[in-house]
Amino acid sequence: MRHLLTHIRFWLFAPFIGLIALGFVTFGLWHLAAARLSDELAATGLAWQDLQRHGYPARISLDIDRPAWRDRDRQWQNRALSVTMMPFQGGHAIVDFLGPHEIKTKAGEAQLAHQGNLASIVADVDGVNRASFEVEQPRLTLRLKGVDEAALFSASKLGLHGMRHDEAGRYNIALVVKQLTLPVGFGRAAEKSIPRLDMVGVVPETFLQDGAAAGQTLVLDRLTMQRGALTLIARGTIKLGADGFIKGQLDLEAVQLEALIDLLEEFDLISARDRAKWLFFGGLGAALGGNPQDRLSVPLQFKGGRTALGPLDLGAAPRWQ
């Protein structure tokens, strides 16, 4: 043994032997980490038909065929997805969804088709710290139980971002939708479009993990909608009532009063004969409130199962359940 260690050829090849040994060790550790990642995905309830691991040594990538997830009331599946984990970036994972999302709930079915869908997730010891979900050319088809026709929503881009709030159990969220097109049948026009919709708010962690539930409170810090000459800004708090209706109040600020009246008429929320009356009262309210004539501040209330815009009853309040 001593003769071997003193032989010049041993020291010539020793670095290569060490590198080979190190390679086996790192590959073993990578394989354990990749197996642990797939085990953690399975522990969340995710199932699949096939899973392939690759990416050694810089990253851990999982190609998953026919992923599916379900619980008692919800079901989700996709044609394929790819998960890439960055071990040296503090628990950063990127998910590439390769097919449309198929979703089933007690309320009905939905399909979210797209031309590109990436999710970015950063986790720590306390769970998800921040996450992003971005979709190119999303097309959402809703088929609700008891409704004969499907509703189709589309947009040029959708972005949903979340980050842990300073208050435990809550998350900051931000939503950006560009060129949103609403389904046929919303009001009188054949097609409704909203060039840009931005929202910033705070929601309970349980809302993101388990879905909507009675008693949850959603805080809307700011919602901005731009459509033609109209800019509509909303702030307020919404509570999910035990009766299935939403409750609370949003304070609306509309820039370009006449464009707001056009929107209400287009969506059949006011009649054509009431247009002059609402222009008069809207202008009077703006003047009494000290606002310019093209700006109006008005509350949007959800109470007792009804929706009211100022003194105007808009009908039944939206249902969350």
Side-chain angles (χ1 to χ4, degrees):
M1 183 69 180
R2 180 181 297 179
H3 177 72
L4 177 63
L5 294 177
T6 57
H7 201 285
I8 189 171
R9 290 185 179 180
F10 173 81
W11 296 109
L12 180 63
F13 290 102
F16 299 100
I17 296 172
L19 287 175
I20 293 172
L22 181 61
F24 277 114
V25 171
T26 56
F27 180 76
L29 293 174
W30 177 91
H31 188 273
L32 288 174
R36 180 179 176 182
L37 177 59
S38 58
D39 290 342
E40 290 179 352
L41 291 175
T44 66
L46 186 69
W48 52 79
Q49 288 188 3
D50 186 48
L51 184 147
Q52 300 291 330
R53 304 183 184 97
H54 61 91
Y56 173 80
R59 66 184 187 277
I60 299 172
S61 295
L62 305 179
D63 291 339
I64 302 176
D65 186 45
R66 302 292 179 184
W69 176 90
R70 68 184 306 165
D71 64 5
R72 185 179 60 182
D73 300 323
R74 297 170 294 173
Q75 181 178 332
W76 168 88
Q77 64 181 17
N78 201 296
R79 175 172 54 82
L81 63 82
S82 174
V83 181
T84 300
M85 184 74 180
M86 309 296 185
F88 306 107
Q89 295 185 17
H92 184 196
I94 298 174
V95 184
D96 186 1
F97 297 97
L98 304 180
H101 302 274
E102 306 282 351
I103 303 168
K104 293 183 180 180
T105 68
K106 294 187 298 183
E109 301 179 2
Q111 182 193 70
L112 177 60
H114 56 84
Q115 296 184 12
N117 181 194
L118 290 176
S120 174
I121 304 168
V122 177
D124 54 26
V125 294
D126 296 321
V128 177
N129 186 0
R130 62 183 185 272
S132 296
F133 184 82
E134 297 189 349
V135 190
E136 297 290 340
Q137 301 295 327
R139 289 174 59 86
L140 177 64
T141 304
L142 290 178
R143 294 180 176 86
L144 300 179
K145 291 182 178 179
V147 180
D148 294 333
E149 296 184 0
L152 174 63
F153 299 81
S154 63
S156 63
K157 187 169 185 177
L158 181 149
L160 178 62
H161 310 277
M163 184 172 64
R164 188 183 299 134
H165 192 265
D166 293 337
E167 180 183 348
R170 300 183 70 80
Y171 273 81
N172 299 309
I173 61 168
L175 174 69
V176 178
V177 184
K178 296 181 180 179
Q179 298 300 328
L180 173 64
T181 300
L182 302 177
V184 173
F186 271 59
R188 300 170 190 170
E191 185 179 272
K192 306 294 188 304
S193 62
I194 299 175
R196 187 175 180 92
L197 182 68
D198 298 342
M199 184 192 73
V200 178
V202 181
V203 301
E205 184 177 2
T206 54
F207 180 83
L208 300 176
Q209 292 181 343
D210 305 321
Q216 291 177 337
T217 299
L218 315 179
V219 178
L220 187 63
D221 292 328
R222 182 183 177 96
L223 182 146
T224 304
M225 185 192 79
Q226 295 177 333
R227 187 173 189 262
L230 173 66
T231 298
L232 192 62
I233 300 171
R235 298 179 177 87
T237 301
I238 296 297
K239 186 174 181 179
L240 306 185
D243 57 0
F245 291 99
I246 67 172
K247 306 176 186 299
Q249 175 175 313
L250 299 179
D251 296 320
L252 304 184
E253 181 178 342
V255 178
Q256 184 48 256
L257 176 61
E258 189 165 354
L260 174 62
I261 303 301
D262 290 340
L263 182 69
L264 294 174
E265 185 179 347
E266 184 179 329
F267 279 79
D268 285 335
L269 298 176
I270 63 173
S271 62
R273 66 175 179 270
D274 292 332
R275 178 183 178 86
K277 177 180 68 177
W278 279 102
L279 283 172
F280 171 75
F281 284 116
L284 180 62
L288 293 176
N291 295 321
Q293 288 296 308
D294 65 343
R295 187 181 295 265
L296 176 67
S297 298
V298 60
L300 179 65
Q301 295 180 315
F302 307 101
K303 185 177 180 180
R306 306 293 294 179
T307 301
L309 179 64
L312 174 63
D313 185 280
L314 300 182
R319 298 189 66 93
W320 66 270
Q321 188 180 47

